[in-house]
Amino acid sequence: MAAVYRIQSSGLLLSVVQAVRFTSIIGSCRVCVVGLLLFMVQAVTCAPNIIVIVADDLGYNDVSWHNTDMKTPNLERLARSGIVLEQSYVQPICTPTRSAIMSGLYPIHTGRQHSVIQPLQPTGLLSNISILPEYLQDLGYKTHMVGKWHLGFCNEKYLPTRRGFSSF
């Protein structure tokens, strides 16, 4: 199965599609080749800005693009000029949701499915689990975080600035 990545240059798009088709025979090298191609794509195109907003207790109808009675002009402007991901799997508390969004894994696979990590709790999101800001830094992005972390505080290896964020 070939994956198609939409890129400005049609010649580059063709190369990406052909390389991905070729890697289907190789199997385990597919991820490496696609990663290399995405790195090359980023080098020749202007990388988009990425803003991830996690809003605890935000309901589907709590934003103006779903409910005209709600006035959220700044969020709507961001939504209209970007991509809104609305079919996400979330948990009723913040640590499991944040671990899933950051890692791309279900909370049961990160060990963070049960409760919120408190500041003095001697645990955190395992450092052998790669998370989104680490991948983005590898692609040359500058990464910054504002707000709640709740993925570990007791050891420096759990802190946001050790997990791919340049500042917190």
Side-chain angles (χ1 to χ4, degrees):
M1 169 163 52
V4 176
Y5 298 92
R6 301 256 178 234
I7 296 121
Q8 297 291 343
S9 164
S10 59
L12 188 54
L13 177 62
L14 179 61
S15 299
V16 171
V17 172
Q18 287 174 344
V20 172
R21 283 189 184 139
F22 174 72
T23 60
S24 63
I25 348 178
I26 299 172
S28 64
C29 290
R30 172 184 274 168
V31 173
C32 298
V33 173
V34 170
L36 177 61
L37 291 170
L38 291 175
F39 177 78
M40 292 178 349
V41 166
Q42 195 239 344
V44 292
T45 62
C46 182
N49 291 321
I50 300 171
I51 299 173
V52 177
I53 299 173
V54 178
D56 291 334
D57 302 321
L58 181 71
Y60 183 84
N61 280 324
D62 293 342
V63 289
S64 55
W65 60 93
H66 290 298
N67 180 353
T68 55
D69 293 334
M70 300 302 290
K71 305 299 179 212
T72 57
N74 295 328
L75 286 176
E76 185 163 352
R77 193 169 24 262
L78 282 170
R80 298 237 183 266
S81 65
I83 298 171
V84 178
L85 305 175
E86 297 183 305
Q87 301 298 316
S88 301
Y89 176 79
V90 297
Q91 297 291 310
I93 53 179
C94 61
T95 295
T97 295
R98 282 167 171 72
S99 73
I101 289 171
M102 292 290 190
S103 69
L105 300 171
Y106 286 109
I108 190 81
H109 297 292
T110 65
R112 300 288 104 206
Q113 71 273 21
H114 293 298
S115 61
V116 175
I117 297 175
Q118 300 299 328
L120 298 177
Q121 194 172 345
T123 189
L125 181 63
L126 297 176
S127 56
N128 66 341
I129 297 173
S130 296
I131 60 174
L132 181 62
E134 294 168 324
Y135 290 118
L136 291 173
Q137 274 192 342
D138 289 346
L139 291 172
Y141 278 89
K142 292 179 181 166
T143 55
H144 306 281
M145 183 182 162
V146 176
K148 288 177 20 178
W149 174 241
H150 283 235
L151 292 176
F153 307 95
C154 70
N155 189 311
E156 283 191 19
K157 68 182 180 182
Y158 298 134
L159 298 178
T161 53
R162 299 295 175 109
R163 298 304 311 264
F165 286 106
S166 301
S167 65
F168 172 63

